[in-house]
Amino acid sequence: GIDALFDDLALIYEGMDSLGKLQAKQDTGATIWKMIKKPQMFWPIIKHWDSTASEMLANYIHDEKLIALFVQLMAYTGTPADEVSGMLFAGMWVSYHHVGFCYFEGGSGAVTKALAEVVVENGGEILLNTLATKIVIEDGAAVAVQTKDGKEFKCRYVVSNANAPDTFFKMVGREYLPEEYAHRLETMKIGLPAFAVYLGVDHDFSDAFEPEGNHSYFINPGYDQTETFKYFREGNPEKAMFGMINYTMADPTNAPKGKNVISVVSIVPYDYKGDWYESESYEKYVALKEEVARKYLKRAEELIPGLSDHIEVMEIGSPRTMEHYSLNPGGSIFGWEFSREQTMMKRLPSKTPIKNLYLAGAWGGMYGGGQSAVLMGGYATAETILGREK
């Protein structure tokens, strides 16, 4: 069934790409002509549209170890294979394996910097350390944004890539929302948070990441996917799956020669040990973060002996850290959960019930979380607004 699976995955990706181009009004004529000439690419999409990844794979392969290997990328969705949308997973899988798995020189921050340069070059202004607190609504339309320091910015459109719950319940106000929309927001599930250990080490560990120069590894407790996510949800750093990435192998400019930037990333609950002891004292919170980090590093050293002996710099990000910096509720790094009940056309659309208010980023539009996805989502939102402006 492997060949049939790969063939259908390629068709799913091709079909989804065509639908995405139509939505974004890109190469419309050529895309429609391609769809007419190759209608078969939509059959796997129709067949598996409402399936989970597990249900979709059951049509092709049955070996537990093969399935576990195939769905390894579910770590990038934060949702187990028996819950994640099969369509979303198929699109992501083909994107990584057929299109490419790439890093930008300078890291993700380089992308942010490039976007900022375009804004400034076109006469825009970027305000750092400026908290947006209110979206002003008049006659059912968004007309201005207010900030914590008392400033107000009048505008024709507001595009929010802040988290959707805060956008609507804190900045807009529930009283401006249709009841059905407000209820939907309150009942949608938020994605899981991350736990990350960022290391600067005074040794080149490239050889430890062999064979063939692999810079990323996933360490799994076993082949049982249900068990893997059980360890995530209960907060078990001794057994939970984690990823280990040597970023210097992908981008040698990020560390001095002979040194590496390495990260260890997993999922630990937002309410681990209650609230990570944060309410008790900052010292207890920091100590717990380090305790969890050391448990992951101990496991990492099974692959990279001596890693801890070479640490020059260590920063630890808990789910509370993710929340403090991004303001995403629960520290979610995914936006909404990627279950089949709230992905694809069931996601919160970028167009909102408030006239002239649009969503972008991980919380609105069909693309979801992850850097490539949010860039595509932002592009689609921009195209929608430009279409209105003719």
Side-chain angles (χ1 to χ4, degrees):
I2 297 173
D3 287 342
L5 172 61
F6 281 12
D7 289 345
D8 282 359
L9 283 170
L11 290 172
I12 288 170
Y13 190 80
E14 200 174 356
M16 295 301 291
D17 183 56
S18 296
L19 292 172
K21 284 179 177 175
L22 278 186
Q23 186 192 34
K25 300 185 176 70
Q26 292 176 278
D27 304 322
T28 307
T31 301
I32 291 173
W33 178 240
K34 177 184 176 183
M35 292 163 74
I36 293 169
K37 285 177 64 180
K38 198 174 181 181
Q40 68 270 25
M41 67 182 171
F42 294 107
W43 168 239
I45 294 176
I46 294 167
K47 181 180 179 183
H48 301 305
W49 182 257
D50 205 33
S51 300
T52 64
S54 291
E55 290 167 348
M56 180 180 75
L57 291 177
N59 289 272
Y60 306 93
I61 56 178
H62 307 283
D63 182 270
E64 182 190 37
K65 292 182 179 180
L66 176 58
I67 291 171
L69 177 67
F70 187 82
V71 301
Q72 179 67 85
L73 289 181
M74 71 180 180
Y76 292 155
T77 70
T79 310
D82 57 0
E83 295 177 24
V84 74
S85 159
M87 284 296 96
L88 180 137
F89 188 84
M92 183 179 71
W93 194 96
V94 178
S95 176
Y96 274 113
H97 289 89
H98 289 213
V99 180
F101 184 89
C102 305
Y103 291 106
F104 290 94
E105 188 173 292
S108 295
V111 181
T112 308
K113 186 178 177 183
L115 291 169
E117 287 171 358
V118 174
V119 171
V120 174
E121 285 167 5
N122 286 273
E125 185 181 358
I126 296 171
L127 303 179
L128 303 177
N129 302 312
T130 305
L131 186 68
T133 53
K134 183 177 178 63
I135 296 169
V136 181
I137 310 298
E138 291 180 4
D139 298 324
V143 296
V145 175
Q146 294 177 353
T147 57
K148 189 177 181 181
D149 57 8
K151 292 178 182 175
E152 181 172 288
F153 300 87
K154 295 189 182 301
C155 47
R156 293 203 309 278
Y157 299 97
V158 176
V159 181
S160 174
N161 80 332
N163 72 80
D166 282 357
T167 296
F168 292 106
F169 295 136
K170 290 186 179 180
M171 289 190 275
V172 170
R174 188 190 174 107
E175 65 271 21
Y176 294 105
L177 301 176
E179 183 54 39
E180 185 180 350
Y181 192 85
H183 177 71
R184 183 182 181 188
L185 283 168
E186 289 171 333
T187 54
M188 288 183 76
K189 289 185 178 178
I190 289 169
L192 292 172
F195 180 88
V197 186
Y198 306 101
L199 304 173
V201 296
D202 64 2
H203 181 79
D204 185 358
F205 282 105
S206 300
D207 289 347
F209 280 79
E210 295 294 345
E212 297 174 12
N214 293 318
H215 66 325
S216 297
Y217 281 96
F218 286 111
I219 314 301
N220 292 270
Y223 293 103
D224 186 330
Q225 303 305 303
T226 304
E227 184 180 61
T228 295
F229 270 81
K230 178 174 77 89
Y231 294 139
F232 280 157
R233 287 165 173 161
E234 70 184 20
N236 190 333
E238 274 111 350
K239 292 186 177 180
M241 178 176 70
F242 67 95
M244 187 162 52
I245 309 100
N246 187 333
Y247 284 106
T248 309
M249 292 176 69
D251 176 10
T253 68
N254 71 16
K257 191 171 182 180
K259 300 185 179 186
N260 290 164
V261 171
I262 294 173
S263 70
V264 175
V265 184
S266 188
I267 292 173
V268 183
Y270 178 75
D271 57 359
Y272 182 69
K273 304 288 184 182
D275 63 356
W276 286 82
Y277 299 151
E278 196 174 30
S279 61
E280 295 185 33
S281 74
Y282 182 69
E283 290 72 23
K284 286 193 73 172
Y285 163 67
V286 170
L288 181 59
K289 276 204 307 183
E290 180 143 346
E291 178 187 318
V292 174
R294 292 294 176 187
K295 288 178 179 178
Y296 278 111
L297 290 178
K298 182 179 179 182
R299 294 173 63 198
E301 288 190 309
E302 294 175 19
L303 266 83
I304 311 179
L307 176 63
S308 295
D309 298 332
H310 292 277
I311 296 173
E312 279 193 353
V313 179
M314 180 166 74
E315 290 283 350
I316 306 166
S318 76
R320 304 276 160 161
T321 312
M322 307 302 169
E323 183 180 54
H324 292 325
Y325 279 90
S326 69
L327 301 184
N328 284 330
S332 172
I333 62 166
F334 300 101
W336 300 115
E337 186 181 80
F338 284 116
S339 64
R340 65 173 160 187
E341 288 79 21
Q342 46 187 56
T343 44
M344 310 308 292
M345 301 308 180
K346 296 176 183 176
R347 287 186 61 79
L348 200 66
S350 59
K351 186 178 180 181
T352 77
I354 308 295
K355 187 180 178 183
N356 300 339
L357 172 61
Y358 291 87
L359 302 178
W363 297 87
M366 69 174 286
Y367 293 97
Q371 188 174 65
S372 300
V374 298
L375 286 168
M376 289 190 289
Y379 186 92
T381 299
E383 285 286 320
T384 301
I385 293 172
L386 290 171
R388 282 189 58 183
E389 292 285 297
K390 301 292 187 287

